[in-house]
Amino acid sequence: MAGQPQREPKRPGTADPPMVRVALITIALVFLALFLFIPVIAVFAEALQKGIGAYFAAIADPEARAAIRLTLMTAAIAVPLNVTFGIAASWAIARFDFPGKQTLLTLIDIPFSVSPVISGMLFVLLLGVRAPLGGFLADHGIRVIFAEPGIVLATIFVTFPLAARELIPIMQAVGSEEEEAAIVLGAGGWQMFFRVTIPNVKWGLLYGLVLCNARAMGEFGAVSVVSGHIRGHTNTMPLYVEILYNDYQFAAAFAVSSLLTLLAIATLIAKHFLERRVVPAKPEQDNLAVKVAA
Amino acid sequence: MAVKANTKRNNVLPGFNLSLGFTLAYLGIVVLIPISTIFFKTFTLTWPQFWAAVASPRTIAAYRLSFGASIAGALVNSVFGFIVAWSLVRYEFPGKSLIDVMVDLPFALPTSVAGITLTAIYASNGWIGRYLAPLGIKVAYAPLGVAVALTFVGLPFVVRTIQPVLEDLDQEYEEAAATLGASRLQTFVLVIAPALIPALLTGFALAFARALGEYGSVVFISGNMPMHTEVVPLLIMSKLEQFDYAGATAIAVVMLTVSFVILFGINVLQRWSSRRLAA
């Protein structure tokens, strides 16, 4: 029954009374308007409250540009590392059987269940100047906490599971027949990897990358703990928003916010289009695997 | 036998040692070592120190607000998230696909942006707050504001856990119930609702867990008054800012333990849920 086509004949026994239908749709729309649509509109309205000139001035401010640069740099380091990890983890987990696999899956999920503030705090405890390791690094002139490396580390931690979590079910759903064929026909390991594996999971890879990137650029709590709020130096965009807001520069705060909101909307649109392509259509695939990936 | 065949077949593929080795090394460096520091740090505390941090009146007030507002947010999301999921799966209406895309917004929007925006809207001169203020309802800088922010961050969880279950639900049972003379309400209560309960509980737990650790969206709307509108992550933050690492660690360990218990509970729920679907 799971394979039924989307379009089904009208089923009178399963239809709700029109009154109920209208009422539920109205409630849903009002709820979403209050919590999603009005906030999004408000970001742009507040950003433009002092005119378009002030809007662009706020974005072009040197401190804003420094924040944008640090945000891009952080994502440029954290995302490739975590996507590489995602590929390695999904290959090991989806293609091989080994003891402790379930435990490994649980451990990969840990950063999801740690509060952002606690995530940042872990790195302060580990690498702050008072900690043994942090003290050692400080003696050698390497500052991690209250500096860029701390921001990058905290971001890597909070975005750690994202790519792996998306890639594991996709890798499982794609199956290994084509890879085995490649190996049996004499392909080398890396040849198989770049010619068969990567093309098979490319949409899933992009999907994981998009999600990981959105979180890396938007993380606030964890980087807030490790940044130490040095203006123009260790601010990412979400941190800079806070500084402007606490300075009562509301229009500027919302102007920077509007860029982050556009990024969020672009992420959602990309997610929507990628979701349909993550698993290449294969009729012989068993349904469970498809469901896991969905 | 299937397992045996599987293992044998997998032997053809290369890269097991490399991929698993890299996975474990990276997991160790990025996650396990940092997580373990917090527990090592706890062992350096004495009992009185630990107890003073985790059971002070200010901390107790923060637990109460964090748990209360998180439960309130998760409950609101359970009710309205269910209605949203139901509308998206069962009805056709204009703008439906836009809404389906937008439901994930709280996942994608940076929490500081969400925080200042919700504060601007729900402040007493804001777009929505101005209509609530004359009624004596204060949202921003009050516990209600915390609940509003936590509702926002938890919104996608209930919708996204119920939606796929609802899509897979076989409508034949509903037809059978209708044919046998059940009213639509009876069908809903006796046929549809029981099938959705595991997913609803999972969604509730996910939204609750997310809300409990939330910092960014709450810090702006709450006003951060100790004993009144200070949530636990905020309390940890202020202890860190005062370099009271011992106190921050003690409270963090309590919260981590709660998170891991919830995570375990969610795993159990999901296993229950998939077993029910399979049956």
Side-chain angles (χ1 to χ4, degrees):
Chain A
M1 281 301 130
Q4 270 176 352
Q6 268 320 87
R7 283 229 160 269
E8 288 172 72
K10 277 257 173 269
R11 312 181 85 170
T14 66
D16 296 329
M19 282 263 287
V20 173
R21 192 168 55 210
V22 171
L24 289 180
I25 292 175
T26 310
I27 293 170
L29 291 178
V30 169
F31 176 69
L32 293 176
L34 284 177
F35 282 95
L36 293 184
F37 291 99
I38 292 179
V40 169
I41 297 164
V43 170
F44 293 98
E46 297 276 345
L48 293 168
Q49 62 179 334
K50 288 197 177 145
I52 195 100
Y55 177 83
F56 284 110
I59 291 171
D61 185 275
E63 282 181 16
R65 289 213 305 266
I68 293 171
R69 211 173 305 129
L70 182 55
T71 295
L72 293 176
M73 190 198 81
T74 305
I77 299 171
V79 175
L81 279 174
N82 281 337
V83 169
T84 308
F85 162 74
I87 294 171
S90 61
W91 181 256
I93 289 168
R95 292 289 178 267
F96 302 96
D97 281 318
F98 54 90
K101 197 155 141 176
Q102 204 54 46
T103 314
L104 179 60
L105 278 169
T106 311
L107 291 177
I108 289 174
D109 268 348
I110 283 181
F112 275 160
S113 57
V114 177
S115 164
V117 172
I118 298 176
S119 307
M121 179 182 162
L122 297 174
F123 291 95
V124 173
L125 290 181
L126 186 66
L127 298 165
V129 283
R130 296 173 179 199
L133 186 54
F136 173 79
L137 290 173
D139 288 342
H140 291 77
I142 303 171
R143 229 175 136 66
V144 178
I145 298 306
F146 308 138
E148 284 92 341
I151 290 183
V152 174
L153 281 174
T155 305
I156 292 174
F157 179 88
V158 293
T159 57
F160 174 85
L162 281 163
R165 260 301 175 202
E166 296 306 328
L167 278 170
I168 292 166
I170 292 164
M171 199 75 98
Q172 280 167 340
V174 167
S176 59
E177 289 86 355
E178 291 177 14
E179 285 149 357
E180 282 154 14
I183 294 293
V184 170
L185 292 172
W190 290 111
Q191 220 176 352
M192 171 217 68
F193 179 73
F194 286 111
R195 300 258 182 102
V196 181
T197 309
I198 293 293
N200 269 346
V201 299
K202 61 175 185 269
W203 296 114
L205 201 58
L206 192 58
Y207 186 73
L209 194 142
V210 164
L211 295 188
C212 191
N213 180 64
R215 185 74 200 272
M217 290 191 173
E219 178 53 28
F220 173 70
V223 294
S224 180
V225 175
V226 295
S227 75
H229 294 303
I230 303 166
R231 277 194 91 158
H233 186 51
T234 51
N235 278 325
T236 60
M237 289 167 78
L239 292 172
Y240 186 57
V241 166
E242 182 192 24
I243 292 207
L244 289 172
Y245 187 83
N246 289 341
D247 259 8
Y248 301 101
Q249 300 184 44
F250 296 132
F254 280 101
V256 178
S257 293
S258 72
L259 294 181
L260 290 166
T261 307
L262 288 176
L263 170 74
I265 292 171
T267 302
L268 293 183
I269 293 170
K271 187 169 176 289
H272 177 69
F273 285 106
L274 287 172
E275 251 159 2
R276 308 168 181 186
R277 322 182 155 216
V278 285
V279 179
K282 276 193 192 172
E284 75 272 29
Q285 231 159 229
D286 62 324
N287 271 312
L288 186 72
V290 179
K291 255 176 228 160
V292 170
Chain B
M1 200 188 104
V3 173
K4 215 173 184 179
N6 205 20
T7 322
K8 200 182 165 203
R9 207 180 59 199
N10 279 339
N11 281 344
V12 180
L13 294 175
F16 175 66
N17 290 333
L18 177 68
S19 61
L20 189 65
F22 178 75
T23 300
L24 293 178
Y26 191 72
L27 175 75
I29 293 168
V30 174
V31 178
L32 299 183
I33 293 177
I35 283 280
S36 63
T37 50
I38 203 161
F39 290 99
F40 284 125
K41 179 86 183 168
T42 320
F43 293 137
T44 66
L45 305 179
T46 63
W47 260 112
Q49 260 181 322
F50 182 81
W51 193 247
V54 300
S56 76
R58 184 175 166 189
T59 316
I60 302 272
Y63 294 141
R64 199 172 295 148
L65 177 63
S66 268
F67 282 90
S70 299
I71 288 173
L75 279 176
V76 169
N77 278 324
S78 300
V79 174
F80 291 97
F82 170 76
I83 294 173
V84 170
W86 182 265
S87 303
L88 285 175
V89 174
R90 290 295 174 94
Y91 305 144
E92 291 300 328
F93 54 92
K96 184 171 132 167
S97 50
L98 173 71
I99 285 174
D100 197 19
V101 172
M102 282 291 284
V103 163
D104 283 327
L105 181 79
F107 283 153
L109 195 69
T111 53
S112 60
V113 175
I116 66 169
T117 309
L118 290 172
T119 311
I121 295 171
Y122 287 95
S124 54
N125 59 355
W127 288 0
I128 298 174
R130 78 175 61 158
Y131 299 106
L132 297 174
L135 306 171
I137 302 170
K138 195 166 160 23
V139 183
Y141 317 119
L144 186 57
V146 177
V148 165
L150 297 182
T151 305
F152 175 83
V153 298
L155 196 151
F157 290 99
V158 177
V159 180
R160 292 302 188 222
T161 47
I162 293 183
Q163 210 176 359
V165 180
L166 212 46
E167 275 163 1
D168 284 349
L169 203 63
D170 203 330
Q171 298 203 355
E172 276 181 6
Y173 296 111
E174 291 168 48
E175 272 178 337
T179 315
L180 293 172
S183 73
R184 188 66 188 147
L185 185 66
Q186 275 175 317
T187 308
F188 180 79
V189 173
L190 298 173
V191 178
I192 302 172
L196 296 178
I197 282 175
L200 190 64
L201 284 175
T202 306
F204 176 89
L206 286 169
F208 176 71
R210 171 69 212 270
L212 212 50
E214 177 59 20
Y215 169 74
S217 56
V218 180
V219 65
F220 299 98
I221 204 168
S222 73
N224 309 336
M225 287 162 274
M227 305 297 296
H228 182 51
T229 58
E230 189 179 55
V231 292
V232 179
L234 240 131
L235 178 62
I236 295 175
M237 192 69 158
S238 69
K239 289 211 181 282
L240 285 174
E241 278 169 359
Q242 293 156 14
F243 298 102
D244 177 8
Y245 290 173
T249 306
I251 300 170
V253 163
V254 171
M255 294 310 276
L256 269 183
T257 311
V258 173
S259 307
F260 290 153
V261 169
I262 297 174
L263 186 69
F264 179 74
I266 290 170
N267 274 331
V268 172
L269 266 174
Q270 268 166 345
R271 229 166 298 147
W272 178 39
S273 172
S274 56
R275 217 180 313 130
R276 270 186 98 155
L277 274 184

